[in-house]
Amino acid sequence: MSKTKTILVVEDDPATADFLASGLEQEGYRVDRAADGPCGLERAQAGELDAIVLDRMLPGIDGLTLLETLRAQGCDTPVIILSAIGSTDERVRGLRAGSDDYLVKPFAMPELLARLEVVHRRRAGSPAVTTRLICEDLTLDLLTSRAERAGQVLLLQPRAIQLLEFLMRNQGQVVTRSMIFQKVWNYDFDPGTNVIDVYVSNLRKEIDRPGLVPLLRTVRGSGYRLGAAR
């Protein structure tokens, strides 16, 4: 017996949410609902979802920001964006933010169901690959190795990009010098040089430019942590 798939519907319009829930449940899906961005993000982060149907415009956190946050955290749950904005530019923005599909309102339920089937088949045969990492207003495009902070391009050498990627993939956590040597330099030992200190110092100068909230912090006696202070 196949497992019942769970779909999270993040939609602030009650009538549209009811329409979606009713149509999905009639097709045998289990439906969870969230009426704003923060609730949707919290539920999505809890996991155990087979897909997310995400409204583009939401109170609290808009749909694109919610999606970018999930992808930056490594969440690969299939996402279909629903939006009244149907311009080519907005569709591209949605896809680049990490959505698997983009459906313009008004839409027919059979089309949404068909698109859900497609993304499920696609994901079953080809695991999602993260191409963009985000930490607050810091972004790293893994395809182009282009890093930006607050919309400004960061000038980083290839090794610094590798270091930044490692820190962003572990954002919010303390990473030790040993971890950095192993993952960025491929060393299984500490060579006893100050190379990490130099790279971290240079990286910090680029990331935490004057006027910006510091993101890269030294944790005395432990290592480094990337992320805003909480």
Side-chain angles (χ1 to χ4, degrees):
M1 183 176 178
S2 61
K3 172 181 172 291
T4 299
K5 288 185 171 62
T6 300
I7 309 296
L8 173 62
V9 172
V10 188
E11 169 63 63
D12 63 322
D13 178 65
T16 303
D18 288 344
F19 171 72
L20 287 167
S22 175
L24 292 168
E25 288 170 349
Q26 286 179 20
E27 290 299 314
Y29 290 107
R30 179 179 180 274
V31 177
D32 283 359
R33 293 168 57 162
D36 58 40
C39 290
L41 179 60
E42 181 178 4
R43 177 61 187 91
Q45 289 171 327
E48 301 297 326
L49 296 171
D50 294 288
I52 300 171
V53 176
L54 178 65
D55 187 26
R56 169 75 173 76
M57 303 300 291
L58 290 167
I61 301 173
D62 70 88
L64 290 189
T65 301
L66 188 158
L67 177 55
E68 289 173 341
T69 301
L70 289 176
R71 294 300 188 235
Q73 294 172 345
C75 174
D76 64 354
T77 302
V79 174
I80 295 179
I81 289 179
L82 299 180
S83 177
I85 308 172
S87 68
T88 299
D89 286 348
E90 286 302 317
R91 288 170 183 263
V92 170
R93 285 188 67 197
L95 294 171
R96 283 181 170 168
S99 73
D100 295 80
D101 207 340
Y102 191 106
L103 189 56
V104 178
K105 298 178 180 177
F107 59 90
M109 181 56 71
E111 183 176 5
L112 174 61
L113 295 171
R115 290 177 185 246
L116 277 172
E117 292 174 8
V118 169
V119 297
H120 282 139
R121 286 201 300 269
R122 189 186 303 153
R123 288 303 181 97
S126 178
V129 176
T130 299
T131 60
R132 190 165 183 251
L133 301 176
I134 301 173
C135 177
E136 302 296 334
D137 57 356
L138 172 65
T139 63
L140 174 59
D141 187 321
L142 299 176
L143 298 180
T144 62
S145 295
R146 179 186 176 94
E148 295 183 5
R149 176 84 198 271
Q152 299 297 312
V153 177
L154 307 183
L155 304 177
L156 301 173
Q157 297 298 316
R159 184 73 77 182
I161 289 288
Q162 290 179 275
L163 175 58
L164 178 60
E165 178 183 346
F166 179 65
L167 291 168
M168 293 185 76
R169 288 187 183 278
N170 293 277
Q171 60 185 272
Q173 304 175 36
V174 176
V175 296
T176 66
R177 294 171 58 88
S178 296
M179 293 165 66
I180 293 174
F181 271 126
Q182 183 177 31
K183 298 298 183 182
V184 180
W185 271 267
N186 294 318
Y187 290 168
D188 291 325
F189 60 95
D190 187 338
T193 70
N194 67 341
V195 63
I196 288 181
D197 305 286
V198 172
Y199 271 87
V200 168
S201 175
N202 291 335
L203 187 58
R204 181 180 284 125
K205 289 177 183 175
E206 280 297 301
I207 293 175
D208 296 335
R209 293 176 180 176
L212 298 176
V213 175
L215 291 179
L216 181 51
R217 300 171 185 279
T218 299
V219 181
R220 187 181 300 275
S222 298
Y224 306 94
R225 178 167 53 211
L226 184 71
R230 303 296 183 191

